[in-house]
Amino acid sequence: MLKFIIKGILRDKNRSVLPVMVVSIGVFLTVALSAWMRGIFGDMTDLNANFDSGHVKVMTCAYNENKSQIPNDLALLGVEEFQKQFEADYPEIEWAHRINFGGLLDVPDENGETRAQGTMVGKAVDLLSPDSKEIDRMNLRKALSAKNASRLPQKQGEVLISQDFADRFGVKIGDDVTLFGSTMYGSMMFSNYTVCGTIKFGNAVLDRGALILDIRDARMAMDMEDATGEMLGFFKEGEYEDVQAKAIQASFNAKYTQADDEYSPTMVILTDDSTIGMYLQMANSIGGIMVFVLILILSVVLWNTGLLGTIRRYSEFGVRLALGERKVHIYKSLLGEAVVIGIIGSVLGTAMGLWLAYYLQETGIDFSALMNNVTMMIPSVYKAKITPETFYIGFIPGLFAVVLGNALAGRAIFKRQTSQLFRELEV
Amino acid sequence: MEKQFPVGKSFFTALRDVNLDFGEGEFAGLVGPSGSGKTTLLNIIGSLDQPTKGDAEVMGKSISELNHKQAAQLRNEHIGFIFQTYNLLPVYTVFENVEFSLLLQNHTAAERKKAVMEALDWVGIADKAKLKPSTLSGGECQRIAIARAMVKKPKLVLADEPTANLDSKNSHHILQTMKKLNEELKTTFLFATHDEKVMGYLDRIVKLEDGRVVEDLVNEKLKM
């Protein structure tokens, strides 16, 4: 009987083409959009993790309480020793030291006099250690401007500044700039650097007056030897794992955080920031949301398609009843057809969706022109992300919607008298 | 037996005071104008409908007492239908159309093939087994319908205006085929018709008017 059903579907274009097209389009949208949305929210999370929060972040309790002010006077001391302990306690995490600071960047003229000045937000990271992953983590190679001879710092004393800042103040590669700020002990500091490159992340938050330098330079300038504002931890596997992060946080804080010592280290995790938590939740639940919406839409469409198909096939049902087939058997065969159509449509839709998702994963869509004034840390190129879920997620709405649609439409068989269906033969 | 259909708030009586007996191997017809109740009576005998009053007994089964499953089983095992408009399934081949009845029973593929080819042979279109009905003439389509009805060797075949869409030559050919099957297989044929050509072949004619049996006579011409 299954062979009979499949033959009928394949030969009767009215029975198969429209439903397969509807299912394919629905599945295509589910697969492509869920992968894209997952990619967008995943990228937002990664961007925040890589630039700001890490998967976990260790600071002093006092620094954490005032973190919006970037209080380097409350920085964590003895970080080399802490690093060894943390590596031993949490081997699944790799650590990166970061110092964030604010200051004034002075651009001198050929006589050494101030030509221009602007406020900047600095970020000190490990740019020079051969085993450092910070350059990749912050995507600095790609962010380097192609308009000039920009390159990454190769020795201490070299810095990167934002393209935006360089354009505003006419800074060129090789120019010297002076950073004015304060040390962690509150005294004034100034330090000279050579600009070796300009960068553009494509995000207003990151691009507005950014200065990136090696953490050794920052420590020297700010008297932060063996100290750091933040220690960011990243899972070596690469993906953030909320359950694991929470377990590590609980264990860390139980071991290291002391209520009566505001300089004791404390750990926060990525999802402690409610916005990032929402991003992560969206990334994880977007598939479910897409599936639910698509099931709803597809079911209604396929219900109507099925109704039309069922009405068109009343004469066939009449013949089958006359030949001794039971209504429930006809109904089951309709559901069987729905499963076959659902599988064919889901395979086609998934293939098309994966193709688009792959394209969006590799290329993405660049919205940077629209993001000059965006103040959230979100990527400017929206890329998809193909996960194992992408391969099967389309089958859920594809199969469920077509079966539901046919199940609803097929009820007409039971609602009509056998003799009435039979009379349709003569219509 | 009586059969009523609801029409708005009242009822239309399609059959009234019907009291008939058909024996094994009969070649009989229900004859009458449109609306006389022929098809309604055929539907009840075919267990597609139930009487409002009284009962119909087919192969020892009371139609009024059959549930949907039992009625389907009765049709599947013992009753074949032939329709005015053939009602073949257009997407399937001649072979598959005839095979369909057997798919509902537990036959092996080899058994089905043998039975289908035998049935197509009876009606003389075995060479057209692989064709689609749309490529065949009306007469050939009706012969497929006869093969489909006969393939499971039913005890009773109900034919509703089987020649209405056929020309004279094809009508006679079809009727001769059915008559031959009736004689060789002892299958009971019951027609609903107002076609004079059909009446010429019938052994018994039951005339209906306004749902009543007005005449029940043996066709003397054939008896002679």
Side-chain angles (χ1 to χ4, degrees):
Chain A
M1 188 53 102
L2 182 66
K3 204 172 153 189
F4 188 82
I5 289 171
I6 292 172
K7 274 183 194 169
I9 293 171
L10 294 178
R11 292 178 194 167
D12 185 354
K13 301 288 181 284
N14 290 323
R15 203 189 302 180
S16 53
V17 172
L18 184 61
V20 166
M21 273 175 62
V22 172
V23 173
S24 299
I25 291 168
V27 169
F28 163 72
L29 289 173
T30 306
V31 170
L33 289 180
S34 67
W36 198 40
M37 297 303 277
R38 177 178 283 275
I40 290 169
F41 287 114
D43 283 352
M44 284 180 182
T45 310
D46 288 346
L47 189 71
N48 278 279
N50 289 336
F51 277 87
D52 185 47
S53 61
H55 293 151
V56 299
K57 181 156 75 173
V58 174
M59 304 157 282
T60 63
C61 296
Y63 185 103
N64 185 34
E65 279 178 23
N66 300 286
K67 61 187 172 193
S68 60
Q69 299 168 33
I70 322 177
N72 282 320
D73 53 325
L74 304 173
L76 192 64
L77 302 177
V79 289
E80 295 305 323
E81 185 55 33
F82 273 132
Q83 167 111 10
K84 284 178 193 160
Q85 288 179 37
F86 297 167
E87 281 173 352
D89 290 346
Y90 309 106
E92 65 273 44
I93 287 180
E94 55 193 2
W95 299 92
H97 302 178
R98 299 265 177 97
I99 297 172
N100 298 314
F101 55 93
L104 197 66
L105 202 62
D106 184 277
V107 184
D109 60 16
E110 60 274 12
N111 300 318
E113 301 292 333
T114 296
R115 176 165 61 82
Q117 269 187 349
T119 53
M120 43 64 55
V121 178
K123 192 174 278 291
V125 299
D126 186 356
L127 295 174
L128 300 176
S129 298
D131 58 345
S132 170
K133 293 181 180 170
E134 292 286 74
I135 290 171
D136 291 333
R137 210 168 267 145
M138 296 178 71
N139 212 10
L140 289 176
R141 279 191 190 85
K142 271 196 170 176
L144 280 175
S145 175
K147 290 205 285 190
N148 49 39
S150 287
R151 61 168 175 78
L152 293 171
Q154 291 170 346
K155 59 179 190 286
Q156 282 188 242
E158 292 185 334
V159 296
L160 300 168
I161 61 169
S162 69
Q163 184 65 50
D164 174 57
F165 191 95
D167 290 343
R168 266 194 295 149
F169 298 110
V171 181
K172 296 183 186 66
I173 305 298
D175 283 358
D176 288 331
V177 289
T178 305
L179 170 66
F180 289 89
S182 63
T183 68
M184 73 174 284
Y185 300 107
S187 55
M188 187 183 169
M189 73 87 171
F190 55 90
S191 191
N192 292 329
Y193 301 104
T194 303
V195 176
C196 66
T198 57
I199 45 173
K200 187 172 178 65
F201 293 108
N203 179 283
V205 178
L206 299 172
D207 285 334
R208 205 171 292 147
L211 173 83
I212 294 178
L213 72 166
D214 183 66
I215 197 162
R216 293 165 192 80
D217 283 332
R219 280 179 172 145
M220 196 181 290
M222 298 165 73
D223 283 344
M224 291 181 71
E225 205 55 42
D226 201 21
T228 190
E230 300 165 355
M231 281 180 75
L232 269 54
F234 295 91
F235 285 112
K236 287 178 179 169
E237 296 289 326
E239 291 285 321
Y240 175 72
E241 292 293 339
D242 197 44
V243 175
Q244 199 181 357
K246 280 181 175 151
I248 289 171
Q249 181 187 32
S251 135
F252 182 97
N253 289 342
K255 182 174 180 183
Y256 292 102
T257 307
Q258 293 162 32
D260 56 351
D261 180 3
E262 62 177 355
Y263 291 102
S264 63
T266 188
M267 180 182 277
V268 294
I269 61 173
L270 188 61
T271 48
D272 283 346
D273 182 321
S274 61
T275 311
I276 300 172
M278 187 195 73
Y279 292 164
L280 262 180
Q281 209 175 4
M282 288 296 284
N284 291 330
S285 56
I286 196 72
I289 296 168
M290 295 291 302
V291 164
F292 177 75
V293 172
L294 263 295
I295 281 178
L296 213 63
I297 297 169
L298 283 181
S299 296
V300 173
V301 174
L302 290 166
W303 179 8
N304 282 287
T305 311
L307 271 177
L308 290 172
T310 306
I311 291 166
R312 192 178 60 82
R313 293 173 65 192
Y314 271 164
S315 80
E316 177 196 328
F317 299 150
V319 172
R320 289 166 64 173
L321 285 170
L323 293 175
E325 193 170 359
R326 290 163 58 201
K327 283 181 178 177
V328 70
H329 195 267
I330 294 175
Y331 188 70
K332 280 182 185 172
S333 75
L334 275 181
L335 298 186
E337 285 181 15
V339 170
V340 174
I341 286 168
I343 290 172
I344 295 170
S346 297
V347 168
L348 287 175
T350 300
M352 293 189 296
L354 279 170
W355 171 79
L356 182 60
Y358 179 75
Y359 172 79
L360 288 173
Q361 181 175 266
E362 295 302 308
T363 312
I365 298 177
D366 190 348
F367 287 100
S368 55
L370 304 172
M371 293 200 169
N372 290 333
N373 297 313
V374 173
T375 54
M376 288 168 68
M377 205 183 278
I378 52 177
S380 57
V381 178
Y382 285 5
K383 290 185 171 182
K385 183 173 187 186
I386 295 174
T387 62
E389 187 191 73
T390 319
F391 288 85
Y392 65 79
I393 195 167
F395 282 80
I396 303 168
L399 270 173
F400 190 77
V402 73
V403 170
L404 183 63
N406 265 31
L408 291 170
R411 288 180 313 157
I413 294 168
F414 294 103
K415 287 185 173 176
R416 296 174 89 84
Q417 293 288 319
T418 300
S419 56
Q420 183 59 36
L421 271 169
F422 188 65
R423 261 193 285 279
E424 313 275 354
L425 289 170
E426 307 304 332
V427 174
Chain B
M1 185 181 67
E2 188 171 306
K3 177 66 185 177
Q4 291 183 327
F5 292 109
V7 180
K9 287 182 180 175
S10 60
F11 288 92
F12 168 72
T13 304
L15 291 172
R16 65 185 84 204
D17 303 329
V18 174
N19 192 356
L20 290 166
D21 258 314
F22 295 98
E24 189 179 355
E26 275 201 54
F27 202 75
L30 306 171
V31 175
S34 294
S36 59
K38 307 185 295 289
T39 300
T40 303
L41 183 53
L42 221 56
N43 284 349
I44 291 171
I45 295 169
S47 74
L48 290 163
D49 211 344
Q50 294 195 327
T52 313
K53 280 184 194 165
D55 200 3
E57 196 177 294
V58 179
M59 254 79 76
K61 310 262 185 199
S62 162
I63 296 295
S64 303
E65 289 173 9
L66 294 180
N67 59 28
H68 176 73
K69 186 178 174 183
Q70 290 164 331
Q73 193 177 356
L74 176 69
R75 288 194 297 275
N76 184 229
E77 290 174 359
H78 300 300
I79 303 174
F81 285 88
I82 299 167
F83 312 103
Q84 176 181 335
T85 50
Y86 332 127
N87 290 303
L88 301 172
L89 305 177
V91 296
Y92 296 102
T93 62
V94 169
F95 182 93
E96 288 160 351
N97 264 281
V98 179
E99 185 190 23
F100 184 75
S101 298
L102 301 176
L103 286 174
L104 302 171
Q105 301 173 344
N106 293 322
H107 294 287
T108 63
E111 287 169 345
R112 290 200 303 270
K113 186 174 180 185
K114 184 170 176 279
V116 171
M117 292 315 293
E118 193 179 18
L120 291 175
D121 216 24
W122 290 335
V123 295
I125 50 167
D127 58 326
K128 299 199 164 44
K130 289 181 181 171
L131 299 179
K132 293 270 180 67
S134 57
T135 62
L136 304 177
S137 69
E140 287 170 325
C141 284
Q142 195 59 299
R143 279 194 274 163
I144 300 166
I146 295 169
R148 181 176 64 184
M150 294 301 299
V151 69
K152 57 192 177 188
K153 294 182 180 163
K155 290 184 176 161
L156 172 63
V157 170
L158 302 173
D160 194 359
E161 306 280 9
T163 56
N165 286 349
L166 300 178
D167 59 25
S168 177
K169 188 182 166 192
N170 270 312
S171 294
H172 285 294
H173 196 158
I174 291 297
L175 289 163
Q176 282 160 9
T177 304
M178 288 197 271
K179 187 70 187 162
K180 193 177 95 182
L181 291 168
N182 165 251
E183 285 164 0
E184 288 178 6
L185 302 174
K186 300 293 174 215
T187 306
T188 306
F189 277 78
L190 185 56
F191 295 80
T193 185
H194 52 257
D195 184 347
E196 302 248 330
K197 294 188 290 294
V198 177
M199 291 178 217
Y201 285 85
L202 298 176
D203 298 338
R204 180 182 170 191
I205 293 173
V206 177
K207 282 191 179 170
L208 291 169
E209 262 181 36
D210 298 328
R212 280 199 172 85
V213 176
V214 293
E215 215 172 351
D216 184 356
L217 47 92
V218 173
N219 192 333
E220 293 302 332
K221 264 199 298 183
L222 284 176
K223 286 287 172 189
M224 280 167 65

